[in-house]
Amino acid sequence: MSSNHYLFVMWDGGGTIPPELGVARRLIARGHRVTVLSEQTMADEAAAAGCEFIEYQHAFSRRSRRPEDDPLRDFEKRTPIGMLQGARDILMCGRAVDFSRDVRAAVEVNDFDAIVVDAFLLGALPGALSTGLPVATLNPGPEMRPAPGRPPGGMGLKPSDGRLAELRNRLMKAMFMTMFKAGAAPINAARQEWGLEPIAHPFDQWLHVDRYLMLTSAHFDFPAHEYPDNFAYVGAQLDDPSWSHQWTPPAGDEPLVLVSLGSTFQNQRSKFEAAMDAFRGLSVRGLVTLGNVFEVGQFSPPDNVDLVASAPHNEVLPHTRAAVVHGGHGTVMKTLAAGRPMVVVPLGRDQFDNGARVEVAGAGIMVKKQSAQHIRAALREVLEDPSYRNAAEALGAQLREEFAADRAISHLEELVSRAMRESHARAS
């Protein structure tokens, strides 16, 4: 097997980092090189995965993970639509010229064999596609594009189950696609700079990449009736972040419940407090991992709740009976892979979508009224009703099988080998 050099184009998206760097780590274990192009805050995690690192020079590159340095500031947006518009303008489309220039600059001074772009970085794709190198995108969450049978993402919608729901989904699809179409102008400005034809919609770029790889399971995501030829589900990536602290299981035989509400600031302090208060009166022990977002000393939990800055969830979850989570895709996948039911307390981003999928799978409950009372009632239900555990265990078996198959690596290696075969064929 030849050694390939991959350029991974990423952003500091919190839960998007472990699955994508997990793929990079496994490529390196197979003898390949990976260079990460991203924000300065990702340099240490990239190095821990064995990657080389290049910092953005034109696109934004935050200096810390403090809220005041967050370019998205989606915790200030009051509605899912507001969050999507902010993501469109700041991350996905609005800085297309800057992201594309950084990609081209990296390619000009390195000998890469392929480019792998986070699916949210639509603005990086003109630079990547203009190089002539094979290009793949990695989507580290559920599919957000609406399709026949699947509602648009970002709003926690479920597939249609009646005429009113079908009408709602059609209206939301039209609004979703129109809203993102406003991002075509900056995308086309970048495409023009690098000699590419204009596109009608930013999402059309995903049709031009060689591989569009979903880092989730078709058994979890809502199915569509049709898929593009370059589209593939490759299974959830179950890696913990490199910064997780060591953890020792508690003594005693009380049922353990994990609480995890994200590793980036989403103004979730009140949600942490509600989740901790939910344990009052329950005969369980809570383990709250603060994700390095808050300090342990900022809270006064009940006696049956332990607080830690972080802990490796893959080690914690086998000791638990259930979890209370914010609905980030990585946390949901690891909880399901351990066969544990969950209560989802979504904060924003893709979390309502993941909560909807958890509910449709029967593996947990999404709490929209996020008081201690409502979280406690939902937690009691998932602990006492075995159907939630049974559904989580069935889905978890699928996730573990897909993770072991490592299809993402197979696709990325084939991406380069096919390009080499085609190059040799043209030369001969």
Side-chain angles (χ1 to χ4, degrees):
M1 180 185 68
S2 61
S3 175
N4 306 325
H5 191 183
Y6 296 87
L7 174 65
F8 271 51
V9 186
M10 301 175 60
W11 66 291
D12 191 346
T16 67
I17 298 171
E20 294 182 0
L21 286 184
V23 173
R25 186 182 297 109
R26 284 185 285 282
L27 284 170
I28 293 167
R30 288 180 58 81
H32 304 298
R33 290 174 62 194
V34 175
T35 294
V36 170
L37 171 64
S38 191
E39 304 175 62
Q40 190 273 335
T41 46
M42 278 193 55
D44 289 345
E45 286 171 85
C51 303
E52 300 161 55
F53 183 78
I54 302 172
E55 181 184 352
Y56 289 132
Q57 299 300 311
H58 298 92
F60 60 77
S61 178
R62 71 194 84 180
R63 315 314 297 173
S64 80
R65 287 169 173 163
R66 294 189 298 271
E68 58 267 28
D69 289 334
D70 186 349
L72 285 175
R73 302 184 73 84
D74 59 356
F75 49 84
E76 297 178 345
K77 310 297 191 298
R78 295 184 178 273
T79 65
I81 295 299
M83 291 182 185
L84 288 170
Q85 289 173 331
R88 176 199 65 195
D89 295 338
I90 299 168
L91 175 70
M92 299 178 72
C93 303
R95 299 287 296 273
V97 168
D98 294 333
F99 277 106
S100 289
R101 286 176 178 172
D102 279 322
V103 172
R104 289 292 302 234
V107 171
E108 286 170 5
V109 296
N110 290 274
D111 188 18
F112 295 118
D113 297 296
I115 305 175
V116 182
V117 183
D118 179 289
F120 283 93
L121 298 180
L122 287 165
L125 286 176
L129 292 167
S130 67
T131 65
L133 292 170
V135 178
T137 56
L138 298 182
N139 189 332
E143 178 59 285
M144 68 183 300
R145 288 178 293 180
R150 184 178 61 224
M155 292 167 276
L157 300 177
K158 297 178 182 178
S160 307
D161 56 3
R163 293 182 63 184
L164 286 177
E166 176 64 23
L167 177 61
R168 175 207 64 188
N169 285 358
R170 286 182 180 179
L171 291 173
M172 296 305 289
K173 173 185 176 181
M175 182 181 68
F176 181 90
M177 295 299 288
T178 299
M179 180 186 67
F180 271 102
K181 188 173 183 178
I187 293 289
N188 281 329
R191 291 179 65 87
Q192 181 180 18
E193 179 167 329
W194 300 113
L196 300 176
E197 294 294 322
I199 56 171
H201 196 283
F203 294 167
D204 291 346
Q205 290 198 120
W206 286 326
L207 301 175
H208 296 289
V209 301
D210 297 280
R211 297 283 193 281
Y212 185 93
L213 303 181
M214 294 292 299
L215 303 184
T216 190
S217 173
H219 299 282
F220 174 75
D221 203 6
F222 292 151
H225 300 325
E226 57 188 46
Y227 295 101
D229 291 340
N230 63 350
F231 183 97
Y233 284 100
V234 296
Q237 310 300 296
L238 305 175
D239 304 83
D240 280 317
S242 60
W243 43 258
S244 293
H245 295 81
Q246 291 185 333
W247 176 77
T248 301
D253 56 1
E254 290 178 291
L256 183 67
V257 175
L258 171 67
V259 177
S260 174
L261 301 182
S263 59
T264 60
F265 182 83
Q266 291 183 264
N267 205 23
Q268 66 264 60
R269 177 168 179 163
S270 64
K271 303 301 189 297
F272 268 118
E273 290 172 338
M276 286 183 246
D277 286 344
F279 283 84
R280 298 184 191 276
L282 296 180
S283 299
V284 297
R285 175 153 293 279
L287 174 68
V288 178
T289 60
L290 296 173
N292 291 328
V293 177
F294 298 99
E295 300 292 334
V296 170
Q298 292 179 257
F299 298 93
S300 299
D303 292 340
N304 61 337
V305 172
D306 299 322
L307 268 64
V308 296
S310 65
H313 289 172
N314 283 322
E315 295 180 20
V316 173
L317 283 163
H319 296 273
T320 65
R321 288 274 301 278
V324 178
V325 303
H326 68 310
H329 183 263
T331 306
V332 168
M333 291 296 98
K334 282 177 274 193
T335 304
L336 290 173
R340 301 300 186 262
M342 73 195 78
V343 174
V344 182
V345 184
L347 307 171
R349 303 179 184 176
D350 65 340
Q351 295 151 26
F352 287 94
D353 295 336
N354 292 319
R357 285 157 174 77
V358 166
E359 286 197 326
V360 169
I365 298 171
M366 178 164 57
V367 178
K368 295 182 179 178
K369 294 183 179 180
Q370 298 173 350
S371 67
Q373 177 184 356
H374 287 94
I375 296 171
R376 184 184 302 117
L379 183 56
R380 277 199 173 112
E381 184 172 343
V382 300
L383 287 169
E384 295 173 2
D385 186 341
S387 68
Y388 294 104
R389 174 76 175 252
N390 294 339
E393 288 178 341
L395 187 48
Q398 296 282 356
L399 297 180
R400 294 191 299 273
E401 179 182 339
E402 291 170 354
F403 183 64
D406 225 354
R407 294 178 185 138
I409 302 302
S410 301
H411 276 280
L412 293 178
E413 289 182 335
E414 171 59 21
L415 181 70
V416 176
S417 61
R418 187 183 73 171
M420 289 181 175
R421 290 195 301 269
E422 291 175 351
S423 176
H424 293 156
R426 289 192 298 269
S428 61

